Structure formats: C-alpha cells, structure tokens
C-alpha cells in the first residue's frame, strides 16, 4: 500500500530497494512498493511503487528455457551474479509489454526487459530545467495511452508530475507541481483519469482528478479541512477500487472510488473514530481490512462485503500473536500473505482464502527487513530479505507447492565472516528491550572493539535495518554494530509505539540507556570505544542521553536531528506542528505536556558537563527540522562545554563539536558519499583508529 505523507521528524527506509549489483554486468534493481507499516507511520520517502518486479539482466539470458517461470529465471541469473559493488539507481516499472524506467536524463521504455540498449525516449528531464533530476515514481495508464512520472532532485522535496502521451512521437501532455501520490483509472467511456494529491507546505490535503486529450479537465475533488490529517491515494491490487486514505498518527478514514465508474461519488467505508486505524484491500467483492479496532489494540485482519463496508459489518478473520508487527499485506487470487515481525524475527503467514488455512514460515535469522514486490503473478509471492550488512536476497513462496524457495548460487561471504545476535536488555521498569548485534565471527576480545549503536524510537517506525555498504565495511574492519529497538518505535507492534510517545517518551531514553549498559556488561566494547548514531527524530533520544549519561559514549553522529522539541512544538506556524501533536504532545495548551517535554528535550537540558564529541549534519533549507533549532543547539552546547572546561581547569580535553551544514532543502540524503565519508572519518579520528583500510574497502561499494 502506498504511503506519501511526509513529516519533519522522520524519514523513510526506501533507499535500500535502490541498490543494484554492478561489477561485470550492469543490472537494474526494481521498484518496491511502500509497506502498510510505513503508511501507518507517515514517513517521508522516495516512493518506489510499481506494478511488477523485473528480473536482473544477464548476458546469457537467451540460453534460458523459455518456459521457465519468473522466479526460476531470477534465480538462474543470480547464480553467477557477483555481489561486490553497488550503486543507487532510479525507479522502474513494468506495464503490459513495456518496461518504463530512467536512462540517463530521460524517461524511456523498452519492449524487452532484458535489453538496455534498445529503448524509446519518452521525455527528456532536462526540459524541466532542474538540477540533477531523478524519476521518483512511475504510473502507466491502464491502456498505455499515457504515462505519469513524478520527478524530484536530491536537494529538494519539491516534485513535478509530468504526463506523457504515448504515440509514435511521445509528447508531454501536462505537468503538475507538488504532487505526492497519484494513480490512474479508466472511466465508462474508456477515458483515462488521473487522480493525484497536491502537497502545499509539506501538507497534503487536496485530491484532484484530471483527463487529457480532447476532453481536458483538471478539478479539485476533495479537500481535508482538519490540519492534523493528511491524504494519500492507493489503488487496490486488483485495480477494482481507488482508495482515498485520510489519516493522522492514530486515526484513519477511507473512501472508495469505483475503478469502473470513477466519476460517481465516493463511498465512505467508516467515518473516522479517534484511535482507530484501518487500511483496505479488495478481492472478489470483499474488502479485507487491516485494523486495530477492538482489543487488543494491535492490527488484526477483518473482512466484509464491498457493498456493506461499515464497521458494524466487519468480521474478524485473522489475529496476530502478541508483540507482533505487521509489516505488510499482499493479496492474491486465492491467498493473503502477511509479512510479520515477531519478537525481533521475521515471518511470513500464508492464509488460504478458500479454506482459511494458515501456514506460518519462520525466515532466516540473519534477515532484518523485507523488500516488497508488487507482483501480478497469482502463482507466486516473491520478496527479498536484507540486513544492514548483507545485500538483498530473493525468496519466492509458490502457492501450488506450498513451499518457500530461496535464491541459490553465489553466497555472500559475509554469511561466514560475521555473526548476528539477538539479545534483550532490561529497562528500569522491567520491560525487555530487543537488540540486534553484528560483529565479525573471528573477533577476539570484543570488549576492545569499537561499537556503533543505532537508535530511532519514534512514530511507531522500526529502526532502519536496510543494507548499507558503509555498515558492512565497518563490520569487516572489526566494529560491532548494535541496533536498539526501543519503545516509541514499532518493532513489537502498536503498543510498543504507544509506550514511547507523548508522556511516555522517557521510556525510550531508559531503554536506550539499558541497552548500552547491557552491551558493555556482556562484553561488547566499553564506553571509551562506544559511538552512537541517529537521524531526524532519533536525535531526541541521542541528545537526551548525552545530557543524562554522557559517560556511556565517546562520540556521536547525527543527521538532520530533532533537538529542540519544546520550541518546535510551540510554534504552530511551522507546517507540520499540528500533525505532530499525537507524537510529542501540545505544549502550547497543555501544561502537563509542556513540563514533560522539558524533562527530556535535548536543547532545554544542556548543562556544563563533559559531553561526547558530536558530529551533526544539517541541511540548509530543511523544512522538517529547521536549521535554526540545530544551530541554536550547537551554540548552546559549545557554550556549556567551554564553561565546563574553565571549571575543570588546565589539561581538560574538550570534546569536538562539528556542525556540517549541507546545501539543499531535502531532509536526509542517505546516499551522500560526502556525508558518509565525513561521518566515518570523524568516528575513526575520535576513537584514534587507523582509517586507511576502511576507505579502501568502501571504494568497492561506492563510486567516489
């Protein structure tokens, strides 16, 4: 299901599905759709939705048997695929007999998905006069008369949606600024209708519909008047209904647009009820509804007839175990597949819709994340698994055989040279906090190894554990990586988030402190070799820990960190403050919220004491985490350090505080080689480590 809403304190985890393997063969990685869990938590993202998942190119593809199914082709191609170098690529989608993708600065299509050299140019992005534009998302009209593409740049969140008429000489029919989500449907007159949402000041409240050709029209279709809600569009997998999803952090409302009669008035499924979230799929005149209604207030699957959609008609269909996170749901002709995270391990549940049978598959323990595939093949359910140090690996569940098949052939050497451990820490209130740890198999005396701790703990979002080449290189160089799944995140379900937001935010801080102390207590590194990293809203817990327990850390790296919670949430002129009230509280009108935020807000609690060294990457025109707040934090921190140094006396080694302000208006640029290099260099220098080999190894993965 597609999510588009963006907020100022978190970021999407969709960069990992833009990795392509690239040594001796140029290959194309394919778009994956956003997951339900991402829709629920409203993270900003490059949305890489598609209608199909294409196989990877191999030069010997012509020798493959023509009657091999899609999975066998992918597996055969990957058997000899060297997995040593990676680069980031753009969106790609298959529709009908064509593949649509970006080639250089052009939107192109080709008839042969395996032939990169024979393509038709549909549009030259240079016509938009943007700086290094890339295609963020592609949608093709049902009968392939038109293609729509959303185009962005790396240094801005502004986007332009172009509509190209497909003919012997393709021509741009229209362009729309600041489009967030968009989908095509076909009306009774066989006319293509484009529905899209318009984003203004980071808020997405308006839905438009447009037609082209001889009957051009463009009209506003819906406006959400409550500023705490946002709107996004999702087309059900069978294309039967277009859903208008209206939601905030805790509540949602969905309207159905008939995919066969898009000009008819939409049908309301269920009016918004505070605290009730729900998402909708469709199959055989039935709606399948993933919702938290009822007890316990975790996601469960319900269904009802499409012509009686109200909540009183919802029948319970499937419930989850305790401490289970629903990552995504995929609907097939005879099956429903749930992608789950339970007790920090990944599972796939396959539900037979004919007999209500359920098969639960425990996935390999090395796997930390799913990469979803929007697949039109009713016989197979393909997906990929990944981890921070291991690139994605293909898996396919075949319904006929009732078995899960994995990619065979080349096995990544990291599987033998590293270990993944799942441990728990006990927080102050007795809660068990899961952790995921990576280190080299042959490491001796782990207490003397450097440790990099990761944390997020906000919006019910899982800590990002997608593959990152620089993380792999760190493990190869002897580092320990620890991912702390603290409260406020979503790893153990909706309640895990609820226990770490509003006036329970300090639970996340206690969890983080317990995790680091547990790691040290179990022989993983020591404070003088411990570093901590976070981005965006994760900066709240990191900044709070630096104030409360700085002795646990040697160095910290932050990217676009949220550090001044109180002043930001009291400034209602900022575009997303109202949408964030459910997460942080309303200090302007609620004295309890105000006093509670004062207890943990990083900026408010800076004091003269010893701090770890801190490297902060900020973005000049970031609208989500305003630069002003980061600059104020940095200046106040330096003043406190200077005062402490004076009180301590001669010989005191003051920590380094680096503020690296990057140009541009994006929130986080995860794949910036400059940023990656600066952060790693900072960590190595602070810990007094030799960085020669790490940068040589990093060149294997990143193009400098």
């Amino acid at each position: 299901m597609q999510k588009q809403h963006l907020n100022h304190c978190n970021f999407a985890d969709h960069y990992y599905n833009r990795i392509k393997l690239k040594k001796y063969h140029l290959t194309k990685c394919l778009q994956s759709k956003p997951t339900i869990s991402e829709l629920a938590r409203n993270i900003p993202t490059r949305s890489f939705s598609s209608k199909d998942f294409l196989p990877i190119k191999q030069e010997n593809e012509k020798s493959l048997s023509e009657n091999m199914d899609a999975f066998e082709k992918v597996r055969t191609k990957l058997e000899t695929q060297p997995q040593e170098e990676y680069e980031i690529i753009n969106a790609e989608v298959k529709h009908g007999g064509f593949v649509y993708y970006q080639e250089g600065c052009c939107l192109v299509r080709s008839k042969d998905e395996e032939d990169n050299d024979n393509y038709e140019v549909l549009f030259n992005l240079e016509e938009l006069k943007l700086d290094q534009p890339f295609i963020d998302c592609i949608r093709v009209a049902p009968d392939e008369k038109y293609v729509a593409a959303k185009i962005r740049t790396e240094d801005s969140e502004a986007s332009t949606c172009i509509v190209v008429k497909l003919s012997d000489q393709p021509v741009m029919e229209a362009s729309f600024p600041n489009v967030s989500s968009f989908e095509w449907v076909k009306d009774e007159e066989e006319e293509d209708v484009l529905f899209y949402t318009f984003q203004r000041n980071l808020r997405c409240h308006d839905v438009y519909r447009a037609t082209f050709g001889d009957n051009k029209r463009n009209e506003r279709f819906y406006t959400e008047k409550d500023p705490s809600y946002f709107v996004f569009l999702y087309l059900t997998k069978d294309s039967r209904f277009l859903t208008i999803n209206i939601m905030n952090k805790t509540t949602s409302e969905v309207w159905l647009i008939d995919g066969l009669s898009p000009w008819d008035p939409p049908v309301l499924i269920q009016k918004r009820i505070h605290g009730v979230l729900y998402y909708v799929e469709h199959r055989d005149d039935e709606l399948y509804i993933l919702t938290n209604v009822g007890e316990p207030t975790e996601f469960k699957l319900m269904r009802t007839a499409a012509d009686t959609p109200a909540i009183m008609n919802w029948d319970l269909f499937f419930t989850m175990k305790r401490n289970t996170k629903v990552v995504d749901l995929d609907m097939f002709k005879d099956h429903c597949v749930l992608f789950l995270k339970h007790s920090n391990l990944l599972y796939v549940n396959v539900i037979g819709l004919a007999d209500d049978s359920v098969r639960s598959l425990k996935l390999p323990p090395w796997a930390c994340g799913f990469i979803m595939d929007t697949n039109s093949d009713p016989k197979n359910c393909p997906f990929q698994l990944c981890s921070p140090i291991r690139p994605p690996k293909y898996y396919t569940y075949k319904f006929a055989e009732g078995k899960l098949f994995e990619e065979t052939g080349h096995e990544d050497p990291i599987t033998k040279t590293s270990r993944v451990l799942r441990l728990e820490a006990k927080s102050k209130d007795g809660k068990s906090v899961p952790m995921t740890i990576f280190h080299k198999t042959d490491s001796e005396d782990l207490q003397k190894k450097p440790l990099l701790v990761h944390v997020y703990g906000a919006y019910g979002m899982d800590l990002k554990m997608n593959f990152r080449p620089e993380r792999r290189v760190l493990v190869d160089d002897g580092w320990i990586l620890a991912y702390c799944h603290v409260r406020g995140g979503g790893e153990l379900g909706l309640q895990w988030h609820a226990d770490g937001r509003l006036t329970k935010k300090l639970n996340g801080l206690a969890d983080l402190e317990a995790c680091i102390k547990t790691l040290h207590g179990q022989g993983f590194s020591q404070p003088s070799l411990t570093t901590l990293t976070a981005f965006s809203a994760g900066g709240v817990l990191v900044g709070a820990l630096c104030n409360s327990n700085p002795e646990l850390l040697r160095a910290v790296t932050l990217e676009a960190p949220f550090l001044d919670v109180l002043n930001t949430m009291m400034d209602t002129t900022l575009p997303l403050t109202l949408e964030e009230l459910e997460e942080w509280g309303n200090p302007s009108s609620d004295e309890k919220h105000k006093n509670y935020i004062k207890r943990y807000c990083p900026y408010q609690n800076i004091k003269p004491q010893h701090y770890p060294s801190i490297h902060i990457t900020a973005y000049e025109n970031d609208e989500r985490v305003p630069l002003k707040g980061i600059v104020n934090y940095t200046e106040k921190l330096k003043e406190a350090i200077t005062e402490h140094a004076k009180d301590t006396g001669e010989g005191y080694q003051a920590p380094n505080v680096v503020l690296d302000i990057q140009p541009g208006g994006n929130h986080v640029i995860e794949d910036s080689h400059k940023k990656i290099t600066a952060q790693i260099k900072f960590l190595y220098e602070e810990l007094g480590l030799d960085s020669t080999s790490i940068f040589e190894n990093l060149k294997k993965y990143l193009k400098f």
Side-chain angles (χ1 to χ4, degrees):
M1 290 187 173
Q2 184 181 5
K3 178 271 328 134
Q4 295 288 345
H5 174 64
L6 310 176
N7 60 51
H8 60 29
C9 296
N10 49 22
F11 199 73
D13 52 2
H14 275 306
Y15 284 88
Y16 63 78
N17 60 4
R18 291 164 62 83
I19 296 166
K20 82 174 180 181
L21 313 174
K22 175 198 173 289
K23 189 172 183 183
Y24 303 110
H25 305 280
L26 288 177
T27 64
K28 293 188 288 187
C29 181
L30 314 166
Q31 288 180 264
S32 80
K33 63 172 185 166
T35 63
I36 284 177
S37 61
E38 288 158 357
L39 300 182
R41 298 301 114 196
N42 324 326
I43 15 173
T45 181
R46 289 189 192 174
S47 177
F48 305 128
S49 299
S50 69
K51 296 298 182 185
D52 210 310
F53 206 91
L54 310 180
I56 288 180
K57 179 180 178 181
Q58 278 291 336
E59 292 178 353
N60 61 353
E61 197 271 344
K62 293 182 180 179
S63 65
L64 297 174
S65 172
E66 293 182 358
N67 61 2
M68 292 175 69
D69 63 29
F71 171 71
E72 295 298 337
K73 288 183 179 180
V74 170
R75 186 178 71 179
T76 302
K77 291 165 195 169
L78 287 172
E79 285 181 356
T80 57
Q81 178 64 54
Q83 297 190 0
E84 296 185 13
E85 296 191 7
Y86 307 86
E87 69 173 332
I88 306 304
I89 62 169
N90 289 314
E92 178 177 298
V93 61
K94 181 180 179 182
H95 188 100
F98 291 92
V99 185
Y100 296 78
Y101 56 97
Q102 181 174 344
E103 183 70 30
C105 61
C106 296
L107 170 64
V108 304
R109 69 174 177 178
S110 62
K111 288 186 177 181
D112 183 354
E113 64 191 47
E114 303 303 329
D115 186 0
N116 283 345
D117 297 324
N118 186 17
Y119 55 79
E120 174 188 9
V121 175
L122 304 178
F123 181 75
N124 189 334
L125 305 186
E126 292 181 347
E127 293 184 27
L128 299 176
K129 301 187 184 307
L130 299 173
D131 182 27
Q132 296 182 330
F134 65 87
I135 297 176
D136 184 57
C137 188
I138 300 171
R139 291 288 186 273
V140 184
D143 56 3
E144 294 194 84
K145 291 181 181 177
Y146 298 96
V147 59
K150 186 169 72 171
I151 299 165
R152 285 184 49 202
T153 64
E154 287 285 2
D155 62 356
S156 173
E157 292 191 21
S159 63
T160 298
C161 180
I162 61 166
V163 177
V164 177
K165 183 177 181 180
L166 301 174
S167 58
D168 292 338
Q169 294 188 351
V171 60
M172 186 174 74
E173 186 85 3
S175 67
F176 305 107
N178 299 318
V179 169
S180 181
S181 56
F182 57 106
E183 298 285 355
W184 290 99
V185 296
K186 184 187 292 187
D187 67 12
E188 304 92 322
E189 304 298 325
E190 299 295 307
E191 186 173 41
D192 294 312
V193 184
L194 180 69
F195 285 79
Y196 65 93
T197 55
F198 177 76
Q199 183 172 295
R200 181 186 295 109
N201 295 327
L202 303 181
R203 296 175 178 175
C204 198
H205 292 156
D206 297 320
V207 182
Y208 287 76
R209 57 188 174 190
T211 56
F212 309 95
D214 296 334
N215 186 27
K216 282 188 177 181
R217 59 193 295 185
N218 184 30
E219 61 186 20
R220 188 166 57 181
F221 175 69
Y222 174 87
T223 295
E224 173 57 40
K225 296 182 179 179
D226 189 330
S228 69
Y229 284 76
F230 66 94
V231 184
F232 67 89
L233 304 175
Y234 170 70
L235 188 66
T236 59
K237 188 172 181 181
D238 60 4
S239 300
R240 182 63 180 81
F241 290 103
L242 177 66
T243 63
I244 301 176
N245 300 267
I246 306 152
M247 63 186 302
N248 63 16
K249 299 293 183 298
T250 61
T251 305
S252 62
E253 176 179 289
V254 181
W255 293 74
L256 293 179
I257 295 175
D258 192 329
L260 303 177
S261 304
W263 301 104
D264 291 350
V267 175
L268 175 64
I269 292 182
Q270 173 57 47
K271 185 178 181 180
R272 65 193 73 171
I273 302 172
H274 181 73
V276 174
L277 292 164
Y278 69 98
Y279 308 90
V280 179
E281 256 295 356
H282 175 265
R283 169 193 171 270
D284 287 351
D285 297 324
E286 286 188 317
L287 300 178
Y288 287 78
I289 302 169
L290 192 66
T291 178
N292 68 333
V293 69
E295 293 295 335
T297 55
E298 298 288 349
F299 279 122
K300 51 194 72 72
L301 190 59
M302 296 187 169
R303 63 181 173 186
T304 184
D307 56 359
T308 57
I311 195 169
M312 70 279 296
N313 301 309
W314 297 0
D315 292 325
L316 184 62
F317 180 60
F318 185 79
T319 58
M320 318 299 166
K321 295 179 181 179
R322 289 185 64 239
N323 297 331
T324 297
K325 165 72 174 279
V326 180
V327 178
D328 204 3
L329 173 153
D330 203 354
M331 189 66 64
F332 295 83
K333 182 178 182 295
D334 299 314
H335 298 86
C336 175
V337 180
L338 290 167
F339 299 87
L340 308 172
K341 180 180 290 186
H342 175 68
S343 297
N344 207 20
L345 293 170
L346 301 185
Y347 292 80
V348 168
N349 279 10
V350 181
I351 304 174
L353 300 178
D355 57 5
D356 291 348
S357 62
V358 179
R359 180 163 190 191
S360 182
L361 305 171
K362 185 177 180 179
L363 298 175
W366 64 263
C368 301
F370 292 102
I371 300 177
M372 301 307 169
D373 168 18
T374 304
N375 173 51
S376 58
D377 182 357
K379 298 179 181 179
N380 301 320
C381 177
F383 57 91
Q384 295 180 73
L385 299 176
C386 65
S387 87
I389 64 172
R390 179 170 175 166
K393 183 174 184 178
Y394 283 90
Y395 288 79
T396 292
Y397 185 85
K398 295 191 174 184
F399 297 117
E401 290 90 336
K403 294 181 180 179
L404 183 68
F405 294 82
E406 68 175 300
E407 161 204 338
T408 59
H410 176 82
E411 188 66 25
D412 196 297
I414 198 72
T415 58
K416 295 182 179 180
T417 61
S418 68
R419 294 184 65 193
V420 55
L421 303 173
R422 286 177 169 81
L423 304 178
E424 290 185 342
K426 286 290 184 183
S427 197
K428 290 180 181 178
D429 59 0
K431 278 286 186 181
S432 296
V433 184
M435 297 182 289
T436 309
I437 296 100
F438 303 89
H439 67 84
K440 286 184 71 173
T441 305
D442 60 358
S443 289
E444 297 180 359
D445 199 357
L446 290 172
Q447 194 172 18
K448 296 181 179 179
K449 299 296 183 182
L451 168 66
L452 179 59
V453 179
H454 301 70
V455 71
Y456 188 69
Y459 301 107
M461 281 306 307
D462 292 7
L463 183 58
K464 292 171 58 178
M465 299 189 70
N466 50 291
F467 173 66
R468 296 301 311 163
E470 65 272 21
R471 300 299 184 237
R472 175 177 180 142
V473 171
L474 287 174
V475 170
D476 287 340
D477 204 40
W479 283 68
I480 304 166
L481 304 185
Y483 291 75
C484 303
H485 310 293
V486 303
R487 280 173 285 185
E491 286 86 349
L492 299 184
L494 296 178
Q495 190 60 47
W496 196 247
H497 171 223
D499 288 342
R501 68 183 182 93
L502 295 176
T503 55
K504 295 182 179 180
K505 183 61 68 175
L506 282 168
N507 284 340
L509 176 59
D511 293 351
L512 177 59
E513 179 184 333
C515 286
I516 296 176
K517 288 181 177 180
T518 298
L519 288 166
H520 293 163
Q522 295 195 16
F524 294 98
S525 195
Q526 54 188 286
S528 62
L529 293 172
T530 297
T531 64
L532 180 57
T533 186
F535 67 93
S536 198
V540 173
L541 296 184
V542 173
L545 185 69
C546 289
N547 289 328
S548 64
N549 289 92
E551 70 279 359
L552 294 176
L553 306 169
R554 177 65 183 86
V556 168
T557 64
L558 296 171
E559 183 173 7
F562 190 31
L563 297 166
D564 190 358
V565 182
L566 183 62
N567 288 324
T568 299
M569 294 308 300
M570 292 188 71
D571 186 354
T572 57
T573 65
L574 294 174
L576 295 175
T577 294
L578 294 177
E579 295 183 12
E580 299 296 315
L581 297 179
E582 295 279 358
E583 181 70 23
W584 308 101
N586 189 350
S588 295
S589 62
D590 190 319
E591 196 67 21
K592 179 182 177 182
H593 286 172
K594 183 177 181 179
N595 291 333
Y596 190 85
I597 291 173
K598 284 182 178 180
R599 292 172 61 188
Y600 68 81
C601 175
Y603 177 77
Q604 298 294 326
N605 290 281
I606 294 174
K607 55 193 172 187
Q609 64 175 10
H610 179 74
Y611 278 88
S613 292
I614 299 178
H615 183 286
I616 301 175
T617 304
Y619 298 94
E620 189 174 16
N621 299 313
D622 190 340
E623 295 181 82
R624 305 185 182 285
V625 179
L627 180 60
K628 178 182 177 181
I630 297 176
V631 171
N632 289 344
Y633 171 87
T634 305
E635 291 177 348
K636 186 175 181 180
L637 180 63
K638 288 182 176 180
E639 291 173 0
I641 291 172
T642 300
E643 184 177 346
H644 177 68
K646 290 179 180 178
D647 295 340
T648 305
E650 189 175 347
Y652 174 69
Q653 183 64 44
N656 293 311
V657 178
V658 178
L659 176 57
D660 180 12
I661 300 176
Q662 297 287 323
N666 216 328
H667 179 48
V668 175
I669 304 177
E670 186 168 0
D671 300 305
S672 166
H673 297 169
K674 180 180 178 182
K675 178 206 71 180
I676 292 170
T677 302
Q679 290 177 344
I680 291 178
K681 184 174 182 290
F682 175 81
L683 293 179
Y684 271 72
E685 289 178 349
E686 289 300 321
L687 271 60
L689 303 175
D690 182 3
S691 61
T692 305
S693 61
I694 185 123
F695 288 114
E696 287 300 317
N697 291 332
L698 199 57
K699 290 178 182 178
K700 296 178 182 178
Y701 301 96
L702 301 177
K703 294 166 59 179
F704 286 91

